[in-house]
Amino acid sequence: PTSENLVPIRLDIEIDGQRFRDAFTWNPNDPDSEVVVFAKRTVKDLKLPPAFVTQIAQSIQSQLTEFRSYEGQDMHTGERVVPIKPAIAIAIREQLYEIAIQSVASARESRANKKGRRGTEHLSARKKRDWDVYEPIVDLLSNEEVDALEAREERIAR
């Protein structure tokens, strides 16, 4: 969880030969962010079959539920300032989320092993006034650009 509690959401849904893939962050504290409304709007905007509404809503809801199970736990990671692209930003956020979960688990384990002794912790966070400086930059890509990017990533992975 972050100071804004943005949740990394990844969708990969296939129904009747049609596939929908997307990755984004979700702010569960936003009063306008209702999962079903979002799913309906997405299906309408992308002209997907109505069956996608339920699948999108269920997938988002299950990821939000999993995220909430970790909410309130102390999860801080180091920081780096680098310009990033939209899909990469989501992947990085997911990786940091996983690292934070692992560090919480190991911290709990070490606390249990120390039998009540406390160590010093060093926490660093950005000041609120600096948040906008470090926000990710979003590029809108056409389908052709997405295909080219995925092909390039596959070549690099080999």
Side-chain angles (χ1 to χ4, degrees):
T2 65
S3 59
E4 294 179 341
N5 283 335
L6 296 178
V7 182
I9 302 291
R10 187 173 294 276
L11 300 174
D12 191 355
I13 301 168
E14 187 170 344
I15 299 176
D16 297 330
Q18 276 194 297
R19 188 171 188 179
F20 174 65
R21 288 176 43 185
D22 199 2
F24 51 91
T25 56
W26 185 274
N27 183 352
N29 299 322
D30 182 358
D32 296 328
S33 61
E34 189 174 323
V35 175
V36 176
V37 172
F38 173 82
K40 286 179 181 177
R41 190 175 306 137
T42 301
V43 167
K44 180 182 177 189
D45 290 348
L46 298 176
K47 297 179 176 71
L48 295 169
F52 275 89
V53 172
T54 304
Q55 295 298 318
I56 291 172
Q58 285 177 349
S59 181
I60 293 171
Q61 195 59 53
S62 69
Q63 291 176 61
L64 289 173
T65 301
E66 180 182 352
F67 176 82
R68 285 186 182 114
S69 71
Y70 294 105
E71 219 167 13
Q73 297 179 15
D74 190 18
M75 296 187 191
H76 293 278
T77 58
E79 63 182 64
R80 301 218 186 269
V81 179
V82 205
I84 52 179
K85 303 281 185 204
I88 296 171
I90 301 300
I92 290 170
R93 185 177 288 276
E94 287 176 336
Q95 289 173 7
L96 290 175
Y97 178 65
E98 291 300 321
I99 291 168
I101 290 171
Q102 291 171 0
S103 71
V104 166
S106 68
R108 282 183 181 164
E109 187 176 309
S110 73
R111 279 189 214 133
N113 290 339
K114 288 182 181 179
K115 298 180 184 174
R117 291 188 322 214
R118 291 201 106 133
T120 59
E121 295 180 14
H122 173 71
L123 304 176
S124 65
R126 290 191 182 103
K127 294 183 172 87
K128 243 183 183 177
R129 68 174 184 256
D130 295 334
W131 286 359
D132 60 327
V133 176
Y134 298 101
E135 289 180 346
I137 299 170
V138 177
D139 290 332
L140 298 176
L141 303 176
S142 67
N143 288 338
E144 293 79 24
E145 291 171 317
V146 170
D147 292 341
L149 181 62
E150 288 177 348
R152 190 172 341 132
E153 288 174 356
E154 284 182 30
R155 279 195 304 273
I156 290 171
R158 291 184 210 158

